[in-house]
Amino acid sequence: MAQNNARSVIGQVWRYIHTAMATANNEHALIAEINATPILAAMYLATLEDLLSRKLGHYRGCLDFSLPVIMRYCIIGAGMAGIAAARRVLELGGEVTVFERMGEIGGTWIYTDEVGTDQFGLPVHTSMYRGLRTNLPKEVMGYPDFPIPAQKQSYIASHDILAFLRLYANRFDVVRHVKFNHHVVQVHPTEDGRWQIEVENLISRTKVWDCFDFLFVCNGHYHTPSVPAIEGSAQFRGQQLHSHDYRCADHYANKAVLVVGAGPSGMDIALELAKTAQRVTLSHHMDRLTFPFPANLTQQPDVARLTDTGARFVNGVEASFDVVLYCTGFRYSFPFLGDDCGIRIEDNHVQPLYKHCININHPTMAFIGLPYYVCAAQMMDLQVRFCLEFYAGRRCLPTRSEMLADMDQEMDARWRRGYKRRHAHMMGPDQGQYYDDLAQTAGIKPIAPVMTKLHNESSQRFVDDLIHFRDDVFAIVDDETFVAL
């Protein structure tokens, strides 16, 4: 019994050392080890008499100073990012628990007719609409060592992506580590640097607390609509909705629809609506588009205000509408994170983060998948591998001040290039440099350059195809984010 108690305490001490070494600089890690050494010595002395009376070899693990400690990882979300994180942690030998509020793998790729709230009273997560196809070729949408299976079409249906994610999760034995229909209610750091997490079982309606060493936040960013404040919106008597709640054009047959926003989602949905609606107006603040629109699709500048029955535009034109559909993007949202987690969001800039993923205030927390205009699955896998180099203790993170300086330097460069704060996590042509930075900093295998090149070329082809009304490549994305869901 004494030997078992010693093993338990030693394990806890080593957990403390491991976390310190994984998330602190070398000096702090050394202090942690020095402080813990007397405790370890006491544990060994306390059990020496029992150990000497038995076969020494049987207790070699207890006497080995490199006693293995299995670290516990919590992953929030079982979409494209979450299953990539789970796979890589399992390969390291870590203990993984994935909390997924829906009943299946796939995240935003899951289609449902539900809008508003789901059967459990929670906001519907997915923005998927009926008949969606990817806006990037499948060749850039797979994981680095696990491509999407071959098929004739390059721009594939959403259900094919969903099937691919399930295939990946099964191949790497992720599914048995997922707790489906489990909603993360709140997350707080503990005094010893771990994570206390409250989770609700949505089926039994019971709540429990659990504690983890590391936390990967993988809840996506296509679930919380960004809706502009337009004067008169409260008095408009028609229907108002965001593209998050759009499911199919059939619901708007013979209606007059105002689409606000002419990004990829606005363009896509406006063209789809024109097939069934009486008339569609696309409102935006860009130069007038010269595409060959259908006869019942017109353009107007920004909305000055909504009226009881329609809208007045900044050019003075007024028109009546039955529906106002906002294609105005999404917001990053982490409602389960307590203030003590040290994360704030300012105009869609999640901060403070080291390399767009590690929480500088609490480095054992990481966000996977925030950057956009990217090769999503490729980047997510790279981000996870980057974080695990530090979490596994193979490398030590820079000091807090060094990480803050790194973040500030990158953001200052973005502001000088004309980026707005809401573009803090936008990559696009910068994605290759970002991937190389992650790989070089952590000393890990980079993403193949051909993927970045193909992604950028495919994005431009998508724009060209959209202009020429190629229905087979349309995909819904938010007004700011030009990347497949």
Side-chain angles (χ1 to χ4, degrees):
M1 178 66 72
Q3 193 268 344
N4 288 335
N5 290 336
R7 181 182 294 273
S8 174
V9 175
I10 292 171
Q12 293 177 27
V13 173
W14 269 113
R15 187 187 301 278
Y16 163 66
I17 295 174
H18 177 97
T19 303
M21 294 185 70
T23 60
N25 58 37
N26 288 323
E27 178 183 357
H28 291 168
L30 180 60
I31 292 173
E33 189 164 358
I34 291 173
N35 289 340
T37 299
I39 303 174
L40 290 169
M43 294 299 101
Y44 288 125
L45 291 173
T47 58
L48 183 59
E49 181 178 359
D50 182 58
L51 291 173
L52 291 176
S53 66
R54 301 172 185 268
K55 292 182 179 179
L56 190 60
H58 182 69
Y59 296 101
R60 186 166 299 171
C62 183
L63 288 177
D64 185 358
F65 203 67
S66 62
L67 177 70
V69 176
I70 297 178
M71 309 302 286
R72 302 192 70 210
Y73 289 78
C74 172
I75 298 172
I76 301 177
M80 184 175 283
I83 60 177
R87 174 253 175 118
R88 294 300 186 182
V89 173
L90 288 171
E91 289 178 343
L92 268 180
E95 180 183 322
V96 176
T97 301
V98 183
F99 294 114
E100 170 54 54
R101 51 166 285 190
M102 292 191 283
E104 57 182 307
I105 295 284
T108 197
W109 288 98
I110 299 171
Y111 175 83
T112 176
D113 287 323
E114 292 179 320
V115 295
T117 56
D118 62 19
Q119 59 180 317
F120 303 111
L122 297 173
V124 169
H125 180 83
T126 180
S127 297
M128 190 60 53
Y129 77 91
R130 194 179 302 167
L132 182 145
R133 304 183 79 85
T134 64
N135 66 344
L136 292 174
K138 66 181 184 299
E139 289 77 12
V140 301
M141 295 187 66
Y143 296 99
D145 59 352
F146 198 85
I148 294 175
Q151 60 171 281
K152 183 178 180 180
Q153 290 183 319
S154 192
Y155 296 88
I156 61 179
S158 60
H159 60 77
D160 288 329
I161 296 293
L162 188 59
F164 163 70
L165 296 178
R166 291 169 177 166
L167 183 67
Y168 178 92
N170 287 324
R171 167 64 178 81
F172 296 106
D173 198 27
V174 169
V175 179
R176 69 187 181 92
H177 299 275
V178 181
K179 292 190 175 182
F180 294 106
N181 296 306
H182 277 67
H183 170 58
V184 175
V185 179
Q186 53 182 321
V187 174
H188 298 282
T190 64
E191 292 183 358
D192 61 351
R194 303 180 76 202
W195 295 100
Q196 194 77 15
I197 299 177
E198 184 184 26
V199 183
E200 180 182 12
N201 183 324
L202 296 174
I203 303 300
S204 65
R205 288 298 186 180
T206 57
K207 294 182 180 180
V208 297
W209 287 88
D210 206 346
C211 199
F212 297 88
D213 299 294
F214 297 97
L215 172 62
F216 282 112
V217 179
C218 305
N219 68 321
H221 48 88
Y222 293 106
H223 50 76
T224 303
S226 176
V227 180
I230 296 179
E231 184 181 354
S233 59
Q235 71 183 74
F236 178 65
R237 296 199 296 263
Q239 179 186 8
Q240 297 182 68
L241 74 156
H242 188 272
S243 61
H244 174 68
D245 293 322
Y246 173 82
R247 291 296 180 263
C248 70
D250 295 345
H251 298 308
Y252 309 96
N254 302 315
K255 292 185 178 181
V257 183
L258 170 61
V259 176
V260 180
S265 65
M267 289 287 292
D268 183 8
I269 293 176
L271 290 167
E272 286 294 314
L273 288 170
K275 298 174 183 178
T276 61
Q278 180 188 53
R279 55 184 171 86
V280 177
T281 298
L282 187 63
S283 168
H284 58 85
H285 48 253
M286 300 184 293
D287 293 337
R288 187 170 183 82
L289 305 174
T290 58
F291 306 159
F293 287 129
N296 64 338
L297 199 165
T298 59
Q299 300 177 68
Q300 289 293 345
D302 283 340
V303 176
R305 64 165 293 127
L306 294 180
T307 64
D308 291 351
T309 59
R312 180 185 305 132
F313 302 97
V314 293
N315 61 359
V317 173
E318 290 193 34
S320 61
F321 295 101
D322 303 301
V323 180
V324 177
L325 176 57
Y326 298 102
C327 296
T328 47
F330 295 83
R331 297 183 292 107
Y332 295 109
S333 179
F334 315 100
F336 43 81
L337 296 185
D339 292 340
D340 50 358
C341 292
I343 289 294
R344 69 183 187 277
I345 304 175
E346 183 181 350
D347 195 14
N348 235 25
H349 178 196
V350 183
Q351 55 188 306
L353 297 180
Y354 179 56
K355 308 296 186 186
H356 295 269
C357 50
I358 292 179
N359 179 349
I360 295 176
N361 287 326
H362 295 281
T364 52
M365 171 193 287
F367 296 77
I368 304 302
L370 293 188
Y372 55 93
Y373 289 5
V374 295
C375 301
Q378 301 265 336
M379 181 202 69
M380 292 167 181
D381 179 82
L382 180 65
Q383 286 183 317
V384 172
R385 290 187 288 116
F386 170 83
C387 294
L388 290 178
E389 283 297 302
F390 302 105
Y391 293 172
R394 291 193 284 256
R395 292 177 181 268
C396 287
L397 280 168
T399 64
R400 182 177 184 276
S401 60
E402 289 170 340
M403 289 190 286
L404 285 171
D406 182 270
M407 179 190 72
D408 291 340
Q409 182 179 7
E410 183 195 353
M411 290 303 125
D412 287 343
R414 285 174 171 266
W415 312 151
R416 289 195 299 270
R417 295 200 301 272
Y419 285 53
K420 298 179 180 179
R421 184 169 292 278
R422 68 175 184 269
H423 301 140
H425 303 294
M426 183 175 72
M427 294 298 165
D430 298 328
Q431 62 180 307
Q433 181 180 344
Y434 174 61
Y435 303 153
D436 291 343
D437 185 30
L438 288 179
Q440 292 168 9
T441 301
I444 56 178
K445 184 177 180 180
I447 290 177
V450 67
M451 286 296 176
T452 303
K453 183 174 184 294
L454 183 56
H455 174 275
N456 291 334
E457 292 176 351
S458 300
S459 296
Q460 184 58 51
R461 282 201 302 272
F462 175 73
V463 174
D464 296 338
D465 290 334
L466 185 61
I467 293 173
H468 292 92
F469 308 121
R470 275 186 52 189
D471 293 339
D472 62 327
V473 299
F474 290 164
I476 182 172
V477 289
D478 72 80
D479 194 47
E480 293 291 341
T481 305
F482 191 67
V483 62
L485 291 174

